[in-house]
Amino acid sequence: MRGTWSGSSVSSVSADAPQSLVQFRALGPSAPDVSSIGYGGMHISIADRPDEPESIRVVHAALDAGITLIDTADVYSLGAHDIGHNERLIARALREWRGPRERILVATKGGSERPEGRWTRNGRPEHLKAACERSLRALGVEEIDLYQLHAVDPAVPLEESMGAFARLLEEGKIVRAGLSNVTVDQIERARRVVPITSVQNRLNPFFRESLDEGVVRYCTDERLGFLAYSPTGGGRLNRKLPAHPVVERLARAHGASPHAVVLAWVLAQGPTVIAIPSARKPEHARDSASASDLQLTPEERREIDEAEFSTA
Ligand SMILES: NC(=O)c1ccc[n+]([C@@H]2O[C@H](COP(=O)([O-])OP(=O)(O)OC[C@H]3O[C@@H](n4cnc5c(N)ncnc54)[C@H](OP(=O)(O)O)[C@@H]3O)[C@@H](O)[C@H]2O)c1
């Protein structure tokens, strides 16, 4: 089911301010619809993060613009001493928001660690159980709307990690299970153990492996949500977009930002694709939300398909 929601209905923004109509897509089978653009919290909790009041303003800007999906993870922090930083920040932002909290779905992840600030994997069932308990406390909730395995741990059979997810579902600690950084084969193996709602993999014009390797096609066919991470290219490459000749021209033609054009291209890759851009600035969060109802023509999409996006 599709619908629209004007962010203006819950925001304190002046009635004269231009408002986009946020589009909705199902998060997965038997899951609610969420805004087709979500908000990814990573950059307000890792290196170069803003101070806490500004971070809260960023999350509120996303919510006021009509975004109803927030993606976080226990490891969005500076390191092991700081685990849960982003989850606590999101919980605080939601507590202090004056809009309808019940509309907002929060997705978090377990299965990673940050020893000395490095990013490592831990898919052992006992770790996942403890990480989920900690995320419940950090988020201040009784149950997690969507709990995602951050990445498959090569040292632990995926079936064992998914067994832990099945128990968390049975215990009512998580409402839905998702995967991240997976192949089609891994999605199928996981689904033999536990019902999967969504898959979160990287997708942007610089990195198209989710298209090339068939994960987006699989999610489309199976109606699983595909949460596109780093949808504008990530912290470094997104800065190249304003100078990209094709993106810049399309942005001018639509009166939109280069980032919004790229987000529209990402959304066009499949009917279950949901993009989760991050932002450290309120205006960036608002701009990303505006991409939800930006339509590229098939010819414009093809131009981006065929353009070169250098990662150098
Ligand atoms: N599952 C995984 O392994 C995984 C890995 C990476 C990320 N993620 C998730 O995906 C989210 C996004 O990924 P990402 O942060 O790597 O990539 P991204 O959102 O493509 O890019 C990050 C930066 O691009 C800038 N940006 C985004 N939209 C913009 C706009 N409309 N206008 C101007 N600048 C804009 C922001 O800069 P400013 O900060 O300056 O506002 C933002 O921090 C994360 O927050 C996280 O939730 C998941």
Side-chain angles (χ1 to χ4, degrees), residues 29 186-196 218 222 224:
Q186 289 169 332
I187 303 169
E188 291 193 323
R189 282 173 53 198
R191 292 179 85 192
R192 281 182 214 121
V193 181
V194 72
I196 294 295
Y218 181 88
E222 298 292 316
L224 304 183

Side-chain angles (χ1 to χ4, degrees), residues 4-230:
T4 57
W5 176 35
S6 165
S8 59
S9 61
V10 294
S11 82
S12 53
V13 175
S14 133
D16 300 333
Q19 293 289 315
S20 64
L21 283 178
V22 169
Q23 305 293 314
F24 285 73
R25 292 181 174 186
L27 181 64
S30 315
D33 290 0
V34 293
S35 53
S36 63
I37 301 282
Y39 173 72
M42 187 172 76
H43 279 281
I44 54 171
S45 286
I46 60 171
D48 299 325
R49 64 195 191 191
D51 64 21
E52 197 155 321
E54 179 68 356
S55 297
I56 300 287
R57 279 192 286 278
V58 177
V59 180
H60 286 178
L63 296 172
D64 286 343
I67 278 173
T68 68
L69 172 68
I70 297 181
D71 179 70
T72 178
D74 56 353
V75 288
Y76 293 165
S77 64
L78 296 177
H81 64 284
D82 193 26
I83 287 285
H85 180 274
N86 196 244
E87 294 174 323
R88 289 189 294 275
L89 205 50
I90 298 299
R92 179 181 159 196
L94 286 168
R95 271 196 313 275
E96 294 177 3
W97 187 49
R98 285 177 300 160
R101 165 68 182 91
E102 66 284 358
R103 282 181 184 252
I104 311 305
L105 195 144
V106 179
T108 191
K109 313 182 196 81
S112 290
E113 291 181 301
R114 300 293 309 279
E116 289 129 37
R118 290 178 291 117
W119 300 81
T120 60
R121 299 178 183 192
N122 187 342
R124 293 199 323 275
E126 56 276 24
H127 170 77
L128 292 167
K129 180 175 162 46
C132 180
E133 300 279 0
R134 196 175 50 197
S135 289
L136 284 164
R137 287 194 297 277
L139 289 167
V141 294
E142 299 282 309
E143 54 185 23
I144 290 171
D145 298 329
L146 174 66
Y147 197 53
Q148 306 157 102
L149 180 66
H150 208 141
V152 178
D153 181 346
V156 180
L158 176 57
E159 288 73 11
E160 283 184 24
S161 301
M162 286 298 107
F165 272 63
R167 282 187 290 282
L168 292 171
L169 272 171
E170 275 162 28
E171 292 165 7
K173 292 186 174 153
I174 68 174
V175 183
R176 299 169 195 88
L179 300 167
S180 184
N181 296 298
V182 282
T183 63
V184 169
D185 178 58
Q186 289 169 332
I187 303 169
E188 291 193 323
R189 282 173 53 198
R191 292 179 85 192
R192 281 182 214 121
V193 181
V194 72
I196 294 295
T197 296
S198 60
V199 172
Q200 179 176 148
N201 278 12
R202 181 171 63 179
L203 174 59
N204 59 58
F206 300 93
F207 294 105
R208 306 178 185 198
E209 68 278 3
S210 293
L211 299 172
D212 300 338
E213 295 166 10
V215 176
V216 173
R217 161 58 50 200
Y218 181 88
C219 290
T220 300
D221 292 346
E222 298 292 316
R223 292 278 171 239
L224 304 183
F226 179 91
L227 273 52
Y229 81 66
S230 302

